Amino acid sequence: MPKKKLIVLTGAGISAESGLKTFRDSDGLWEGYRIEDVATPRAWRKDPQRVLDFYNYRRKNVLQAKPNAAHYGLVELEKDFDVTIITQNIDNLHERAGSTRILHLHGEILKMRSERDTELVYEINGDIKLGDTAEDGCQLRPHIVWFEEAVPMMEQAVPAVASADIFLVIGTSLVVYPAAGLVNYTRPGIPVFILDKKIPYIKNNDRLTAIEKPATEGMEELKQLLFMIR
Ligand code: APR
C-alpha cells in the first residue's frame, strides 16, 4: 500500500518553543515593529538599513535556535506517511530536524538575493550590508516574501494541498493570505487536524480534529491519532 499523503501547513507557533517569537501573540514581533517599516517593498525603498537590521537580527536568533519536539515529530511521521511541509516560517528548523520535503511560502532567512533578479539567490549566515551586491551588480536583500509581494511558492503549494489525503495545520493564526486560504483547496471530506495553543477560526469541517495545546505537547497526541488512520 502506498503511504497516504499528509500535507502540513506550519506557522510561527511551531517554532515558538524553540525560542523564536511569533508575530501576533502578546509580545509577538509585530508588537515591537510595524510591518510597514520592515516588511514591505516600500520600507525597503525608504529605509533599507532598517529592513536589513530587522532581518540580520532575526537571522542571528534563528542560528541560535534548535528544532523542538514538534519539528522532530513531523520527521517521524515520514515513516508512515508521504509528508510535505508547507511552512510560512523563514527559519530552517524543519530542515535541521530532518524533514525531507519542505516548501517555504514566505522565503528563507538564511538566503539572500538580488533586489532585481529573483533568480539570483545565495546562502547567507552572517549579515547583509548596504553595498553588498549580487552578480548583476544590484543590492542584496533578504530572500523573504514581503507583504504586498507575490507568493510564487503557492503554485506548488496549491496542488500539494489538493492532493492531500490528510491535512494538518500547526501553529498559525491563519490570518495572512494567500497562505490561510490553502485550507480551502483540500478535497472534501478528508480528515483535517489542527494543533495550536489557541485554535484559530477554521471553516466548519465535519472531519476536523482540534488539539488545543502547545505544539511540543500536542505532537504526541497527534502522532497517536494519525497512527490510527495511516
Ligand atoms: N504551540 C502551538 N501554537 C502556538 C504556540 C505554541 N507553543 N505559540 C503560539 N502558537 C500559535 C498562536 O496561537 C497562533 O495561532 O501560533 C500562531 C501564531 O500566529 P502568528 O503570530 O500570526 O504567526 P503566523 O500565522 O505564522 O503568521 C503568518 O504573518 O507576519 C507574517 O510572514 C509572517 O509568516 C508570517 C505570517
Side-chain angles (χ1 to χ4, degrees):
M1 273 272 283
K3 291 176 181 172
K4 286 185 180 166
K5 276 196 183 169
L6 175 64
I7 307 297
V8 190
L9 174 66
T10 66
I14 196 169
S15 297
E17 290 163 90
S18 293
L20 299 178
K21 280 188 176 187
T22 65
F23 296 92
R24 296 173 185 82
D25 289 294
S26 59
D27 196 34
L29 271 172
W30 296 148
E31 280 201 343
Y33 297 87
R34 281 161 22 119
I35 289 173
E36 53 273 36
D37 287 341
V38 291
T40 65
R42 207 170 316 151
W44 177 246
R45 286 194 298 273
K46 193 171 149 213
D47 193 348
Q49 186 61 56
R50 187 178 198 169
V51 175
L52 289 178
D53 288 346
F54 177 65
Y55 289 99
N56 287 339
Y57 159 76
R58 289 181 62 197
R59 190 174 303 106
K60 288 194 182 81
N61 288 344
V62 166
L63 290 170
Q64 284 161 5
K66 293 190 179 67
N68 64 47
H71 299 103
Y72 288 117
L74 292 180
V75 181
E76 268 181 57
L77 285 170
E78 293 194 12
K79 273 189 246 144
D80 292 310
F81 296 94
D82 178 1
V83 179
T84 299
I85 299 175
I86 301 170
T87 187
Q88 298 166 85
N89 299 344
I90 60 176
D91 66 50
N92 64 350
L93 298 183
H94 287 304
E95 282 87 348
R96 277 156 61 198
S99 285
T100 54
R101 204 170 310 127
I102 306 157
L103 298 179
H104 282 273
L105 279 182
H106 295 165
E108 295 171 72
I109 188 97
L110 296 170
K111 292 186 178 165
M112 58 185 177
R113 70 163 172 88
S114 157
E115 67 175 346
R116 188 168 59 193
D117 185 345
T118 55
E119 304 288 309
L120 293 178
V121 179
Y122 314 86
E123 308 270 331
I124 179 165
N125 284 312
D127 289 350
I128 307 175
K129 298 184 199 69
L130 280 183
D132 290 348
T133 51
E135 288 148 87
D136 59 357
C138 291
Q139 173 67 42
L140 284 161
R141 58 164 268 185
H143 183 51
I144 301 288
V145 175
W146 286 324
F147 286 88
E148 298 160 23
E149 289 188 317
V151 186
M153 277 296 176
M154 281 298 283
E155 253 179 64
Q156 291 178 48
V158 168
V161 173
S163 75
D165 297 309
I166 304 169
F167 188 59
L168 169 58
V169 178
I170 307 180
T172 170
S173 58
L174 292 176
V175 298
V176 172
Y177 283 79
L182 280 172
V183 182
N184 302 323
Y185 291 94
T186 53
R187 285 183 291 129
I190 67 157
V192 175
F193 291 81
I194 180 157
L195 167 57
D196 199 291
K197 210 164 83 171
K198 187 168 178 295
I199 301 291
Y201 172 76
I202 187 163
K203 195 178 63 176
N204 187 25
N205 180 312
D206 52 8
R207 298 199 62 196
L208 178 71
T209 307
I211 304 174
E212 193 163 54
K213 287 188 175 161
T216 57
E217 199 187 320
M219 182 49 77
E220 277 313 307
E221 193 175 327
L222 186 63
K223 278 191 295 191
Q224 286 168 19
L225 291 172
L226 288 170
F227 189 73
M228 292 191 290
I229 58 165
R230 74 192 188 283

